[in-house]
Amino acid sequence: MTGTIVTAEAVGKQVDIHGGSLTILQDVSFTVAAGESLAIVGVSGSGKSTLIGLLAGLDLPSSGRITLAGEELNALDEDGRARLRGQKVGFVFQTFQLLPGLTALENVMLPLELAGHADAAARAGQLMQRVGLEQRLDHYPKQLSGGEQQRVAIARAFATHPAVLFADEPTGNLDARTGGRIIDLLFELNAEQGTTLILVTHDDKLAGRCGRRLHLDAGRVVADEQSQ
Amino acid sequence: MHTPHRFRLAWRLLLRDWRAGELRILFAALVIAVGATSAIGFFTDRLQQAMAGQSAELLGADLILQSPRPVAAAWIAQAESLGLRRDEVLTFPSMVMHGPGMQLAGIKAVGAHYPLRGALRISDTPYGEERNAEGSPPPGEAWVEARLLPLLDMAVGDSLSLGDRELKVTRLIAFEPGNGGNLAALAPRVLISRADVEAAGILGPGSRVTLHYLFAGEADALVRYKAWLTPQLEPSHRLIDVREGRPTVGAALERAERYLGLASLAAVLLAGVAIAMGARRYSERHFDVSAMLRCLGASQGDILALYLPQLLLLGLLGSGLGVVLGAAAQGGLFLLLQELLPARLPPPGPLPALLGLLTGLVVLAGFALPPILRLRQVPALRVLRRELTPLPLRAWLVYGAALGAMTLLMGRYTGSATLTLSVLGGAAAALLLLAVLAWLLLRASRGLRHGAGVAWRYGLNNLWRRPWSGAGQILAFGLTLMAMALIALLRNDLLSTWQSQLPERAPNHFVVNVLPDEVARFEEFLRRQNIESAQLYPLVRGRLSAVNGVPVEQVLAPGDDGGGAVNRELNLTWSDTLQEDNAIVAGRWWTAQDAGQPLISLEAKLAERLGAGLGDTLRFTFGGSELEAQVASLRTVKWDSFRPNFFVIFPPGVLDAQPATWMTSLYAAPSQRAAMAQMARDFPAVTVIDLERLMAQVRRIMEQVTLAVEYVLIFVLLAGFAVLYAALQASLDERLYEGALLRTLGASRYQLRAGHLAEYALLGALAGVFAAAGSELIAWQLYTRVFQLEYAFKWPLWLLLPPIGALLIGAAGYWGTRRVVQRSPLVVLRTL
């Protein structure tokens, strides 16, 4: 996969608070090439999570334009962006965000079913095997450890062969050792599927594994550096 | 998402939610709601049928058509084609003789099937032991009222002659269906077979005979027959069914129906509240799931397609189970009350089951749908920012629709727009009041914070911080308490009204045909025998023939017989005092100066039907003479008081020229039977009508209604508990989390528990105040507008409800929040 997968042009985000307006992001512009891995770093409150939400089409910017997988997000309505997410995007979250009512396997099946895949169960089973949880298919999230839950979440994120995978502090709730394994897994699958990886992290080790780091401070991009 | 996938996923989510206990509150509330309403529905249905059946026993049939002439053969054929059983009865006055004695008797000639409902009660000796008769008198025999025997100086076994026919008196009539308290039957009854009428050769042209066509059968066949027949009736025809046949029974039935209808309304309303709370919690607990689904690419339509089938399935299952439960509950009750209920009860019809299902779905749609619809609007961004919630719904629109649906449903249940509107009006007023109360609560708890200990401060803070949750709970608990209070109130008041309507020593005999020159001697007799009686009223028979010169047939609406007052002879009277249970609603009662003036006091409802008001002129016909009189006052009359009552009363001195006999009602204790027998001997012309049997029937009906009412109260309470439970559950997550945090910060279990107690006790007390105000308002509406009872300020409500609320809600809240301190803080903080 070549070319540009994500483009942000002069993106700004303001929210109304108590009658006033608070600027969270200001004049953020960059592009991400397909297959690239990008870490968005910065202190708490620098706007990292807001930016990843905008890039993934979970929210719309107050100003500027974002293009994801060739589609201009501003031009899509809420359901259109949902469709785009279903087709092109995968997510991994700090708090795992598995559906508590579904088993591990069913959680992985969910995006496949939403996209209308007929062989959801088989494909989900393969992914569960790939993340080393083939013994845990029928367990509910609360019966799994934090690391196991995050592996299920990774399997779910890769289930639909997304063009872009967004990860929000994927190791934030895990101890260092478990976090390390999760990072390994994330990059292995990323390499196997040629997915573009965009993640937000505080973890220097994780950021260091990415090909490129975007530094945010008070809502502005202050540095954009490539790894050596 | 493809449809099969959707349904599979919906089904799986439903199952998982069910197993995880997410749906239990919602489902339980629905089952209780539908169970309660359909139990009430089934119960009312059967009770109504049973009560109608008992009234039919008094009537001897389900429907009677009276006519002075034989009716068209087609009318009979129609009844037969509808599968109705029938019989024909002839009544006419005739002289009967025994030896030298002669007496005018009311002859009743019956067919082989008489009575179609109920049974004749007979005895072998005067006032002897009674038993049910098997069948009716065979040809050649006469069954007579005991009071005929002394009049003709005869005994059982003797023969009497009727026209050319000799009939042997074999039985004495103790109770005769179709004759309960009917003043028209003044002469002693002689019951014979219809076959003997022709043989007696006493009926010729011009005979004063009345034909009674008796019908009995299935309820809907009767309804259809009635609907078919009514438009064809002529003025001389009279159609009597259970309701119209006997005013006393009819009024009791009507009140019972209204009352049970009201109780079922309270249950429906409470259930709606419980379901709304359950659905809200369910919806809020699914915000995360919806956000995740949106994040994974589900459209808003997908979210709806996922949750609506779940709701529908839940509704069908819950309502179905509720109907089954309701059916079982009413069956159990009937089993328990076998002694008091008629031996054979009709099975419940399918209508209550359908209504139950419909109620469940409508309540669910009205109260659970809005929060579920909110799920569709959960922003996908919530996966990153958990504090994001969907926009609140346009509550007016959605709850307005729910209210509309409920109104329809209520209307269907009560069959009364007045009742429905007054309950809904009360609910709306209560909501307004609630807003004020919630605001006051905020103020009060802010002030209380400073003086109270830490535990109380924590508890009151809980209320202060969540004003809308607090307001919602006040509404729920207040409604529960209000329903309880209202039902207790109405039940007690209604019963006492009924009791006062039938006091312990209510008149149990009517005495008629006291001759004018015997009045003084008769009064003396009553005094000597220590028998309580009402005033003696003169009785003059006359016909109402015109209103302001217009013939009365043209004044009345087609098919209206003026409540029976117009097409037959009226009992007219005169009096200088107004009966104590009558009330003047227009004009004035006369003074001594009005004596001899052609004035009348007219019963208000008859006046309305006649379109006659104060100053209008009514013409009466007495045999050959006529008399015009001006309406001087309108009166309301309690027809069910068992006292002499009249449509038309004259002042003294107007009717002196007309032949009159005198009448009264009296109470004779069982020990005074001998005195009654003595009366029959001393005053041979006097006719005594025993009301005791009729009243016993009415009492039984009222006892049954009372039990039904108590039973219904239990269901309303159950629905109330569902609300309580749902409300506790609704705030439990937040409480668990806070409790864990507080305990981590060093709060003791005792402090937390005391805080919960304080919070719920205050909530209960406020709900009590709310309930007192609401009940007062609704009761006032109901008393004055629906039941037409006197209303007085119900101060005990204000004294009792707040402490009851504090106690009940405090205890329930204390119990319901025990998990907050039982679970380890670590477990709580990790799972939430």
Side-chain angles (χ1 to χ4, degrees):
Chain A
M1 206 182 290
T2 55
T4 303
I5 188 83
V6 174
T7 312
E9 294 171 67
V11 168
K13 181 73 181 174
Q14 281 94 35
V15 289
D16 293 330
I17 287 178
H18 303 306
S21 170
L22 180 71
T23 300
I24 299 173
L25 290 174
Q26 207 177 342
D27 198 25
V28 173
S29 298
F30 61 92
T31 59
V32 182
E36 207 178 353
S37 60
L38 172 73
I40 301 171
V41 293
V43 295
S44 292
S46 56
K48 308 186 296 288
S49 288
T50 303
L51 180 58
I52 203 174
L54 292 174
L55 295 178
L58 295 174
D59 198 6
L60 288 175
S62 312
S63 56
R65 290 191 332 156
I66 294 173
T67 312
L68 173 64
E71 297 215 45
E72 151 98 59
L73 291 183
N74 287 50
L76 297 173
D77 64 2
E78 179 60 37
D79 278 348
R81 280 180 276 134
R83 180 185 42 76
L84 184 64
R85 283 196 297 270
Q87 289 166 357
K88 306 283 184 192
V89 175
F91 282 96
V92 176
F93 301 95
Q94 178 176 5
T95 51
F96 323 135
Q97 304 261 23
L98 299 176
L99 267 55
L102 300 182
T103 62
L105 182 70
E106 285 167 346
N107 264 286
V108 180
M109 283 165 66
L110 191 58
L112 292 165
E113 287 183 321
L114 285 169
H117 284 269
D119 58 345
R123 167 119 184 91
Q126 288 165 15
L127 274 157
M128 283 295 282
Q129 195 170 9
R130 177 66 190 80
V131 299
L133 289 176
E134 64 271 24
Q135 306 297 327
R136 293 273 200 257
L137 297 182
D138 294 326
H139 284 57
Y140 286 95
K142 68 178 175 189
Q143 297 168 319
L144 300 173
S145 71
E148 286 170 333
Q149 287 189 53
Q150 196 60 305
R151 275 147 76 188
V152 175
I154 288 170
R156 178 178 67 184
F158 281 102
T160 50
H161 290 293
V164 191
L165 187 103
F166 291 97
D168 181 27
E169 302 275 13
T171 57
N173 268 10
L174 301 171
D175 62 75
R177 247 179 74 153
T178 314
R181 285 196 201 136
I182 290 296
I183 293 170
D184 289 344
L185 187 60
L186 204 55
F187 279 92
E188 280 168 29
L189 277 161
N190 193 42
E192 282 168 25
Q193 296 200 1
T195 312
T196 307
L197 183 63
I198 299 178
L199 54 81
V200 160
T201 187
H202 274 115
D203 184 344
D204 288 339
K205 201 173 139 204
L206 175 54
R209 296 271 301 260
C210 293
R212 180 178 164 201
R213 283 176 301 283
L214 199 69
H215 289 266
L216 281 189
D217 185 36
R220 289 170 179 276
V221 178
V222 291
D224 187 347
E225 51 174 346
Q226 301 283 332
S227 294
Q228 298 309 311
Chain B
M1 195 172 9
H2 296 304
T3 306
H5 279 111
R6 269 184 198 152
F7 284 124
R8 264 222 313 277
L9 190 59
W11 174 243
R12 217 158 49 215
L13 286 175
L14 187 67
L15 273 183
R16 292 296 137 71
D17 281 345
W18 175 258
R19 270 183 225 153
E22 295 283 319
L23 292 163
R24 271 176 217 160
I25 310 145
L26 195 67
F27 192 77
L30 190 65
V31 171
I32 291 174
V34 176
T37 52
S38 59
I40 293 164
F42 282 128
F43 187 88
T44 318
D45 188 56
R46 295 184 72 185
L47 199 68
Q48 279 175 2
Q49 289 187 51
M51 284 198 250
Q54 286 200 344
S55 305
E57 283 171 24
L58 292 181
L59 207 59
D62 293 326
L63 191 67
I64 297 180
L65 170 63
Q66 277 182 14
S67 168
R69 292 171 299 278
V71 298
W75 293 13
I76 306 301
Q78 175 71 11
E80 281 175 349
S81 76
L82 284 167
L84 296 177
R85 291 188 295 128
R86 56 173 201 89
D87 200 0
E88 280 172 42
V89 172
L90 305 177
T91 57
F92 55 91
S94 180
M95 298 306 283
V96 290
M97 279 158 282
H98 173 69
M102 289 171 71
Q103 171 66 35
L104 182 71
I107 312 294
K108 184 168 186 170
V110 300
H113 306 299
Y114 173 86
L116 296 178
R117 297 276 187 215
L120 270 166
R121 298 275 292 169
I122 52 170
S123 65
D124 295 324
T125 55
Y127 305 105
E129 200 170 315
E130 298 172 8
R131 62 175 191 282
N132 279 350
E134 285 161 17
S136 52
E141 286 186 20
W143 297 359
V144 304
E145 265 182 273
R147 61 192 170 103
L148 182 70
L149 299 182
L151 295 173
L152 287 173
D153 195 19
M154 65 185 297
V156 175
D158 293 346
S159 286
L160 54 76
S161 42
L162 172 69
D164 300 337
R165 192 93 171 118
E166 285 287 311
L167 300 165
K168 188 177 174 190
V169 174
T170 54
R171 302 270 189 273
L172 297 175
I173 305 165
F175 170 71
E176 173 200 343
N179 196 33
N182 190 347
L183 287 179
L186 303 183
R189 172 67 77 217
V190 172
L191 195 67
I192 62 172
S193 165
R194 226 171 52 221
D196 285 327
V197 174
E198 266 181 47
I202 46 173
L203 288 184
S207 294
R208 276 186 61 198
V209 65
T210 306
L211 286 93
H212 309 256
Y213 297 88
L214 275 54
F215 303 101
E218 298 295 322
D220 56 292
L222 285 163
V223 169
R224 273 161 60 200
Y225 186 57
K226 218 177 135 184
W228 180 84
L229 191 59
T230 305
Q232 310 185 56
L233 293 177
E234 295 163 21
S236 62
H237 291 138
R238 206 170 154 229
L239 200 58
I240 305 163
D241 70 6
V242 174
R243 262 162 223 271
E244 290 156 26
R246 296 291 170 265
T248 316
V249 177
L253 260 179
E254 207 165 294
R255 281 213 185 142
E257 283 173 22
R258 280 187 181 193
Y259 185 71
L260 291 172
L262 174 68
S264 74
L265 280 193
V268 171
L269 217 63
L270 282 177
V273 174
I275 285 167
M277 291 177 126
R280 203 183 142 177
R281 174 178 150 91
Y282 178 81
S283 169
E284 281 169 1
R285 286 177 73 99
H286 284 74
F287 282 175
D288 285 342
V289 174
S290 295
M292 193 62 229
L293 286 168
R294 299 283 287 139
C295 181
L296 292 177
S299 68
Q300 295 197 344
D302 286 336
I303 302 285
L304 280 193
L306 210 54
Y307 285 104
L308 289 187
Q310 292 187 55
L311 194 64
L312 185 67
L313 196 63
L314 195 70
L316 286 174
L317 286 175
S319 305
L321 192 61
V323 167
V324 171
L325 247 161
Q330 61 83 29
L333 182 83
F334 276 99
L335 217 62
L336 278 174
L337 300 180
Q338 246 171 356
E339 293 283 303
L340 281 156
L341 294 167
R344 279 177 304 110
L345 271 172
L351 192 65
L354 278 175
L355 270 181
L357 275 179
L358 190 69
T359 308
L361 291 181
V362 167
V363 168
L364 203 62
F367 289 88
L369 198 55
I372 301 295
L373 286 179
R374 249 184 115 196
L375 282 173
R376 159 182 76 127
Q377 289 164 337
V378 175
L381 193 59
R382 188 181 157 92
V383 294
L384 293 177
R385 292 175 50 198
R386 278 206 69 197
E387 75 280 8
L388 289 181
T389 52
L391 286 174
L393 289 158
R394 269 169 298 174
W396 280 110
L397 201 75
V398 184
Y399 283 98
L403 206 64
M406 288 289 289
T407 310
L408 276 179
L409 206 62
M410 286 177 184
R412 181 73 191 76
Y413 264 89
T414 59
S416 154
T418 323
L419 186 58
T420 305
L421 288 177
S422 80
V423 169
L424 284 177
L431 275 171
L432 264 175
L433 195 74
L434 170 76
V436 178
L437 272 177
W439 184 76
L440 285 175
L441 171 68
L442 267 175
R443 298 276 304 229
S445 63
R446 275 187 193 202
L448 280 171
R449 263 195 320 167
H450 302 294
V454 61
W456 275 80
R457 209 162 61 223
Y458 163 68
L460 300 182
N461 262 343
N462 271 341
L463 285 178
W464 176 68
R465 271 187 311 118
R466 291 182 280 229
W468 291 115
S469 159
Q473 289 179 67
I474 291 174
L475 169 69
F477 303 148
L479 269 178
T480 311
L481 287 171
M482 192 167 87
M484 284 159 56
L486 212 52
I487 276 163
L489 195 69
L490 282 180
R491 185 179 152 246
N492 287 333
D493 261 50
L494 230 56
L495 282 189
S496 68
T497 312
W498 282 347
Q499 294 299 334
S500 69
Q501 181 187 305
L502 283 182
E504 206 40 51
R505 294 164 74 80
N508 58 5
H509 291 83
F510 270 111
V511 177
V512 295
N513 217 30
V514 180
L515 301 176
D517 55 0
E518 282 182 337
V519 170
R521 202 162 62 86
F522 185 76
E523 283 175 329
E524 173 58 25
F525 174 84
L526 291 182
R527 253 196 309 282
R528 220 175 42 239
Q529 298 289 346
N530 218 6
I531 294 173
E532 289 173 27
S533 84
Q535 182 188 338
L536 257 78
Y537 288 94
L539 211 61
V540 175
R541 307 275 283 168
R543 276 181 86 92
L544 172 62
S545 54
V547 179
N548 291 332
V550 181
V552 74
E553 289 77 13
Q554 297 172 27
V555 172
L556 288 172
D560 186 359
D561 67 350
V566 172
N567 285 310
R568 58 183 169 138
E569 297 220 301
L570 273 175
N571 293 315
L572 308 173
T573 194
W574 70 80
S575 178
D576 52 5
T577 53
L578 184 67
Q579 285 107 311
E580 56 180 287
D581 54 9
N582 286 10
I584 300 287
V585 291
R588 55 170 189 89
W589 188 250
W590 30 76
T591 58
Q593 284 78 32
D594 296 318
Q597 300 297 314
L599 299 173
I600 53 166
S601 175
L602 189 60
E603 192 260 344
K605 279 188 182 156
L606 178 61
E608 202 176 302
R609 289 166 127 162
L610 293 170
L614 294 179
D616 286 338
T617 306
L618 269 58
R619 187 191 304 146
F620 297 90
T621 317
F622 306 90
S625 67
E626 288 192 335
L627 174 70
E628 292 215 320
Q630 208 175 32
V631 178
S633 64
L634 301 179
R635 275 174 303 125
T636 55
V637 172
K638 278 198 162 168
W639 292 110
D640 47 10
S641 68
F642 291 112
R643 293 198 184 87
N645 269 310
F646 303 91
F647 282 115
V648 179
I649 303 177
F650 287 80
V654 184
L655 297 178
D656 287 355
Q658 307 300 335
T661 59
W662 296 67
M663 70 164 300
T664 189
S665 63
L666 55 82
Y667 172 77
S671 59
Q672 289 172 314
R673 291 214 145 199
M676 294 305 288
Q678 184 65 39
M679 181 192 290
R681 280 193 294 277
D682 286 5
F683 302 92
V686 160
T687 301
V688 179
I689 296 158
D690 187 352
L691 292 176
E692 205 126 80
R693 183 161 306 277
L694 178 67
M695 287 167 57
Q697 293 274 358
V698 172
R699 273 219 174 88
R700 262 183 53 135
I701 287 173
M702 288 183 180
E703 271 167 14
Q704 288 174 7
V705 170
T706 309
L707 277 164
V709 158
E710 280 168 8
Y711 189 61
V712 168
L713 178 62
I714 293 173
F715 273 104
V716 175
L717 277 176
L718 266 181
F721 284 129
V723 173
L724 194 63
Y725 183 70
L728 281 169
Q729 287 289 313
S731 65
L732 197 59
D733 287 345
E734 212 173 326
R735 282 174 199 287
L736 278 169
Y737 180 71
E738 272 178 15
L741 269 184
L742 284 168
R743 279 163 70 202
T744 314
L745 295 176
S748 72
R749 286 177 176 223
Y750 166 78
Q751 283 169 326
L752 283 179
R753 300 299 275 142
H756 291 147
L757 190 62
E759 181 187 348
Y760 278 101
L762 183 64
L763 204 66
L766 280 159
V769 174
F770 166 67
S775 319
E776 190 86 50
L777 209 70
I778 294 181
W780 172 62
Q781 284 280 307
L782 288 175
Y783 274 61
T784 53
R785 307 193 71 165
V786 181
F787 294 114
Q788 267 108 35
L789 297 173
E790 289 279 322
Y791 191 74
F793 184 66
K794 309 287 177 200
W795 58 267
L797 287 179
W798 298 86
L799 278 187
L800 288 174
L801 282 176
I804 288 177
L807 205 72
L808 219 67
I809 312 301
Y814 190 75
W815 180 81
T817 52
R818 70 196 186 288
R819 265 173 64 199
V820 172
V821 296
Q822 279 171 355
R823 279 227 222 141
S824 126
L826 185 65
V827 170
V828 172
L829 291 176
R830 273 177 57 181
T831 39
L832 284 174

